[in-house]
Amino acid sequence: MLALIPWVSHQTTENVPVMARKLKIRLDGINVPYILSIILVAAVYIVFAKIGFSLAFKTKQVTAVWPPAGIAVAALLLLGYRIWPGIWLGAFVSNALTQEPILAAAGIAIGNTLGPLVGAFLLHRLVGFDNALERLRDVLGLVLIGSALAMTITATNGVLNLALAGIVPWSDYASTWWLWWAGDAMGVLLVAPLILTWATKSRLAAPTRRGPFEIAALGAALVATSWFSFMTTFPFAYPLYPFIIWTGLRFRQRATTLAIVIISAIAIWGTIHGLGPFSNGSLDYRLIFLVTFMAVLALTGLVLAAVTAERRLAAAQLEAAERRFQVLAEIVPQMVWTADATGWIDWYNQRWYEYTGQTVDEAAGWGWQRAYHPEDFPHVMRDWPRSIATGEPFELESRIRHHDGTFRWFLLRAEPLRDKIGGVVRWYGTNTDVNDQKRALQETTRVAETLQSAFLPGRLPVRPDLLFDALYLAAEEEALIGGDWYDAFELPGGSIVVSIGDVVGHGVHAAVEAGRIRHAIFAIAFDTVEPSTILAKVNRVMQFQKNTVATALVAVIAPDLATMRYASAGHPPPMIATRSSPARSLWYGGMPLGVEGLLELESHNVPLERNAAIVFYTDGITEFGHDIESAEIRLRAALDRLVHGPPQTHPASVVQHAVMGSVKPVDDAVLMVLQLAPAPTNSALDELELRKTWAFHSSDPYSAHSSRHELMSFIRRLATSNDDLFSVELIFGEILANTVKHAPGLVSVDIDWGGAHPLVTIVDSGPGLLRFAPMLPHNRLSENGRGLFLIKTLAQDVRVESTPSYGTKMTMTLPIRRLTG
């Protein structure tokens, strides 16, 4: 203590309280709490060692259950590795009190300390052990590592020291080792979970609330059944398992570990005194059955309680996440909603109710349908059920009715929440007001459509041996307004002139300049068909238009389609592919238009083959992803597939999708494809125009009425006369009325008018028809059966496929003909 005086003398008065606290904790460098914890662990170890020695079967040092092993493991897991001196001290004193030689007691204490230390270390390193034992991996880790594996060290070391001291003969080494290991392992399995769970706070926030009657009933039944099983001569041990299962499922780990210890204590006491189901046979026989019973009992209870705790924790976390989501969803200005895996919407934030004026009951499930614009509703009912069926994200723009009757545009989006195997569990969606942006875009589109007439052709040349197809892709931020153009026209002599180009810049000015250049090329081509001369004359005209620079390409195809002659003014060269040679880029040209006063360009001749394909494009096609080389490779590959594949009605769209996918260009772009082959027939186009599909939910009569109106509009547009329209409308009326009344769920109607008469297919998800009986009812006043009778009478070739509980599929041919020619 004198050594502290100089140090104190140099301290200010304000540091005296701090020094005093340090003196309370440390005296001459001695950590008092640490010493006290060592003494406490050693004392508890010694007390429970006395209890363990009382359970000895054969040798006093070898017992059926060794509780200090569980105390040692629990102390190391709770207090850390530095508590090991308390374990060694307790083990040394406990064994020394049994009249063992001092060296033998010290050697056994080393093993009894080293085994738990190794077990605790491996549990932390390999398992990431949690003392609450509320995870399955923690329970299995304690059983396999802390109990079974680690206790091999204590058993091996302990029996070796007993044999060296002459307490146990070497001939009994194996049987004594087994008894020692089983006692230590059971001590860990029974005692360590009890201490750990009661000394550790549960990860579950709220306690499990069980009624006092259930707790009292479980406790009384557990003690009574254990007493009856092990304190009598009736050999019944297994009726205890239902109570352990009850505890594991209904209560937490603390109650489960307490129940296991109570049952095991009664079982050990009864077995030692020759009672219960394990009272007969040799010592090894009785021990094997007792240890097996207690191990299975403990493992069953701990595993069940851990699995139940994991499920409760997952449910609590999910509930908390839902609460956080709902709180966050109420803050954002968007409409937010959730739906189950079937698409049934079960929650909206307050924005939906404030905007639509619907109540919670009105909006639940499929009630949202009433708020959507009649023109947009079929698109919603097409895409939303498709996303539900496929699990793909949902995105669509639609108008939603305000509570005052007006409509505003919203961007609808929904993303699925999936489980571990990829199945959809829930949907989370938002409705974002984009009305202002939509109106602005519509205004821009209107201006752009007016400008298009200046720089985009109204039609392309049509020849039976040559197919033209072109796309204009608007820039993402400059909707449909830019300086890219294309044109194709046929001269009086049969030659076909193609022009394409790009004015530097964007906006109305660039569009106007593009229109001027296009019209200049058109006018000059009637004077000369030499591509380089055409571009040179256009360049001279542009000298009077200051600050205008453009790339351009002009190609002239011979009337017999045998050759193409082209010249380029700084424009990307066309690509060509034939069935005899792969796609390749043609030669580059000279300087762009508007750069030099005198422009000298070279024209190139390209021989053409039948079934060849040529693609003209502007740089927006290849520069959208800032990787021109990769885009050109994809463009050539798409051109090869076009040449060798089946005919395409819209080859430009096919090529554009192959190159760009669904990515929108950052700059406006043009793509034009020429195919030297007979033009595809109109069958594919007819199929698209003559086949329509509608979908609606039968719970909403409004949507059914809207679908009926659209169906009849489609029929009227293609019908040859109005004479049969009444019959068709009567058929549709009966079909939709029956689905609304008898088939709850989604309904789809498909019309295929590829033939002379339309083929109609109706599929519903209702309970299904038990039988199809299109007959009039015997009671003339009854309405049952009249609808099916009218459908069968008015329509042709009516067929019904129905499966109870899985819906009905009805196909029929309508009695009306289509316009042809």
Side-chain angles (χ1 to χ4, degrees):
M1 292 294 293
L2 294 177
L4 295 173
I5 295 175
W7 181 80
V8 174
S9 64
H10 290 83
Q11 306 304 307
T12 61
T13 56
E14 61 184 10
N15 289 331
V16 172
V18 177
M19 181 191 68
R21 286 197 300 270
K22 289 184 178 181
L23 287 175
K24 291 180 182 179
I25 297 174
R26 295 179 179 272
L27 298 176
D28 290 333
I30 299 175
N31 190 331
V32 176
Y34 174 58
I35 297 299
L36 292 177
S37 62
I38 289 177
I39 296 173
L40 178 62
V41 169
V44 173
Y45 193 104
I46 295 169
V47 170
F48 279 89
K50 288 290 185 179
I51 299 174
F53 286 137
S54 68
L55 305 178
F57 274 94
K58 187 176 181 181
T59 304
K60 186 173 183 179
Q61 292 82 359
V62 184
T63 69
V65 176
W66 184 242
I71 294 172
V73 171
L76 289 167
L77 291 172
L78 291 171
L79 303 177
Y81 304 133
R82 61 200 301 264
I83 204 66
W84 70 265
I87 299 172
W88 184 89
L89 181 62
F92 172 73
V93 173
S94 300
N95 284 279
L97 294 176
T98 60
Q99 280 73 47
E100 292 177 10
I102 295 300
L103 290 178
I108 292 174
I110 292 175
N112 288 0
T113 304
L114 183 61
L117 266 173
V118 172
F121 174 79
L122 293 178
L123 284 174
H124 283 305
R125 179 60 61 90
L126 302 180
V127 180
F129 191 76
D130 184 358
N131 295 334
L133 288 174
E134 290 178 338
R135 300 180 302 180
L136 181 60
R137 68 179 185 183
D138 297 325
V139 171
L140 296 180
L142 182 65
V143 172
L144 298 177
I145 298 175
S147 176
L149 179 63
M151 293 307 107
T152 59
I153 299 175
T154 62
T156 303
N157 176 79
V159 178
L160 179 63
N161 278 276
L162 291 179
L164 291 174
I167 300 173
V168 174
W170 288 100
S171 59
D172 291 343
Y173 186 93
S175 61
T176 307
W177 185 95
W178 155 250
L179 293 175
W180 191 303
W181 175 84
D184 284 3
M186 288 309 305
V188 174
L189 198 56
L190 296 179
V191 178
L194 181 68
I195 298 173
L196 291 173
T197 55
W198 284 89
T200 306
K201 184 179 179 180
S202 173
R203 292 186 299 162
L204 294 171
T208 303
R209 301 190 181 277
R210 299 287 180 250
F213 176 78
E214 182 179 1
I215 297 174
L218 175 61
L222 190 69
V223 173
T225 307
S226 302
W227 189 272
F228 178 78
S229 299
F230 292 100
M231 301 304 289
T232 65
T233 57
F234 294 99
F236 298 112
Y238 301 104
L240 291 165
Y241 281 98
F243 297 102
I244 286 296
I245 295 173
W246 180 4
T247 308
L249 294 177
R250 295 285 293 168
F251 297 87
R252 293 187 180 177
Q253 288 286 40
R254 289 181 175 180
T256 304
T257 56
L258 183 60
I260 292 170
V261 169
I262 292 173
I263 295 173
S264 300
I266 297 174
I268 295 169
W269 183 270
T271 303
I272 290 176
H273 292 80
L275 300 173
F278 311 129
S279 58
N280 299 321
S282 65
L283 174 63
D284 289 342
Y285 177 86
R286 293 159 59 193
L287 182 60
I288 289 173
F289 277 94
L290 176 62
V291 169
T292 302
F293 166 76
M294 291 190 298
V296 174
L297 186 77
L299 186 60
T300 301
L302 293 174
V303 167
L304 274 177
V307 172
T308 303
E310 285 183 331
R311 294 181 60 184
R312 288 172 180 160
L313 181 62
Q317 290 174 342
L318 179 60
E319 183 179 354
E322 287 284 350
R323 287 197 301 269
R324 289 194 298 270
F325 165 76
Q326 292 182 5
V327 171
L328 180 62
E330 292 295 350
I331 298 174
V332 299
Q334 298 165 295
M335 300 178 188
V336 183
W337 49 271
T338 63
D340 62 17
T342 66
W344 181 273
I345 297 182
D346 50 21
W347 182 83
Y348 290 96
N349 70 344
Q350 196 60 31
R351 303 293 87 71
W352 172 269
Y353 303 112
E354 292 172 353
Y355 179 82
T356 63
Q358 287 187 326
T359 65
V360 175
D361 293 336
E362 289 173 343
W366 294 85
W368 52 266
Q369 296 176 336
R370 300 178 182 87
Y372 282 78
H373 195 284
E375 295 179 4
D376 304 331
F377 180 73
H379 303 292
V380 178
M381 290 307 298
R382 176 197 63 199
D383 293 354
W384 176 230
R386 181 170 59 194
S387 292
I388 295 172
T390 62
E392 297 177 352
F394 168 72
E395 181 172 330
L396 186 70
E397 289 185 352
S398 176
R399 286 162 287 183
I400 301 178
R401 184 177 61 246
H402 191 263
H403 60 76
D404 62 4
T406 60
F407 286 88
R408 292 181 66 86
W409 282 98
F410 284 83
L411 175 61
L412 318 178
R413 283 179 175 170
E415 287 285 341
L417 174 66
R418 303 181 184 274
D419 56 23
K420 293 182 179 179
I421 61 175
V424 175
V425 178
R426 291 187 63 76
W427 289 89
Y428 292 87
T430 59
N431 300 345
T432 305
D433 190 327
V434 293
N435 192 73
D436 294 340
Q437 299 92 314
K438 188 74 173 180
R439 300 300 183 192
L441 180 61
Q442 288 174 343
E443 180 64 21
T444 305
T445 303
R446 185 186 64 80
V447 175
E449 289 174 349
T450 303
L451 289 172
Q452 273 188 327
S453 61
F455 62 91
L456 296 181
R459 60 186 298 272
L460 295 172
V462 177
R463 288 181 51 163
D465 53 356
L466 181 64
L467 172 65
F468 276 91
D469 190 35
L471 282 178
Y472 180 88
L473 304 175
E476 188 174 13
E477 298 180 359
E478 298 279 348
L480 295 177
I481 297 181
D484 289 27
W485 88 87
Y486 69 90
D487 196 8
F489 53 91
E490 190 171 3
L491 295 174
S495 296
I496 296 176
V497 180
V498 176
S499 73
I500 187 171
D502 182 6
V503 176
V504 176
H506 292 92
V508 176
H509 172 75
V512 171
E513 293 301 325
R516 288 176 178 174
I517 296 173
R518 171 185 164 243
H519 285 296
I521 293 173
F522 179 84
I524 296 171
F526 281 86
D527 180 54
T528 177
V529 293
E530 179 60 35
S532 59
T533 303
I534 294 174
L535 290 175
K537 290 185 175 182
V538 172
N539 185 67
R540 286 199 297 272
V541 173
M542 291 179 61
Q543 299 307 307
F544 299 97
Q545 301 168 0
K546 301 297 184 181
N547 302 322
T548 298
V549 176
T551 66
L553 183 146
V554 174
V556 179
I557 301 174
D560 60 357
L561 307 182
T563 59
M564 179 181 74
R565 189 170 177 80
Y566 79 94
S568 172
H571 196 79
M575 293 184 181
I576 185 171
T578 66
R579 291 190 175 180
S580 60
S581 61
R584 70 185 190 279
S585 296
L586 298 179
W587 303 276
Y588 282 83
M591 297 294 292
L593 302 176
V595 175
E596 297 180 350
L598 181 62
L599 185 63
E600 296 182 359
L601 299 174
E602 180 182 358
S603 296
H604 303 277
N605 281 317
V606 181
L608 302 179
E609 299 179 14
R610 300 299 300 175
N611 296 315
I614 309 168
V615 60
F616 300 89
Y617 62 96
T618 59
D619 54 11
I621 296 294
T622 55
E623 294 179 356
F624 72 97
H626 305 290
D627 189 351
I628 298 176
E629 184 176 356
S630 297
E632 290 180 347
I633 292 174
R634 291 194 296 272
L635 185 57
R636 288 193 292 270
L639 201 57
D640 283 330
R641 289 194 296 270
L642 192 64
V643 170
H644 296 284
Q648 299 290 338
T649 305
H650 297 293
S653 298
V654 174
V655 173
Q656 182 265 334
H657 188 269
V659 176
M660 305 177 67
S662 59
V663 178
K664 295 181 179 180
V666 295
D667 189 12
D668 52 343
V670 166
L671 180 70
M672 181 161 52
V673 176
L674 282 68
Q675 282 189 278
L676 278 68
T681 65
N682 291 329
S683 59
L685 182 59
D686 291 342
E687 181 179 354
L688 293 175
E689 293 179 347
L690 301 177
R691 183 165 185 171
K692 299 287 184 181
T693 300
W694 292 265
F696 62 93
H697 200 277
S698 62
S699 65
D700 187 2
Y702 173 80
S703 62
H705 174 76
S706 177
S707 297
R708 177 180 177 179
H709 176 75
E710 293 181 10
L711 288 167
M712 289 308 302
S713 297
F714 174 72
I715 295 293
R716 287 191 185 93
R717 183 166 58 86
L718 299 176
T720 55
S721 67
N722 295 330
D723 296 340
D724 296 319
L725 286 177
F726 177 76
S727 298
V728 173
E729 189 159 10
L730 188 59
I731 292 171
F732 278 142
E734 292 296 335
I735 291 173
L736 298 182
N738 273 282
T739 55
V740 169
K741 184 176 181 181
H742 301 293
L746 291 175
V747 180
S748 67
V749 180
D750 180 87
I751 298 181
D752 185 354
W753 211 338
H757 297 276
L759 178 64
V760 180
T761 303
I762 305 100
V763 179
D764 64 56
S765 54
L769 288 173
L770 296 177
R771 65 188 185 91
F772 179 58
M775 298 182 298
L776 285 174
H778 296 294
N779 183 0
R780 295 184 179 182
L781 299 179
S782 175
E783 294 294 331
N784 294 330
R786 290 185 183 273
L788 294 178
F789 176 78
L790 286 173
I791 294 171
K792 178 65 176 178
T793 303
L794 297 175
Q796 304 169 10
D797 193 20
V798 180
R799 298 186 300 276
V800 175
E801 302 174 19
S802 181
T803 303
S805 302
Y806 291 95
T808 302
K809 177 182 178 182
M810 176 182 288
T811 58
M812 67 188 71
T813 302
L814 298 180
I816 195 167
R817 297 185 64 85
R818 173 174 59 87
L819 287 169
T820 58

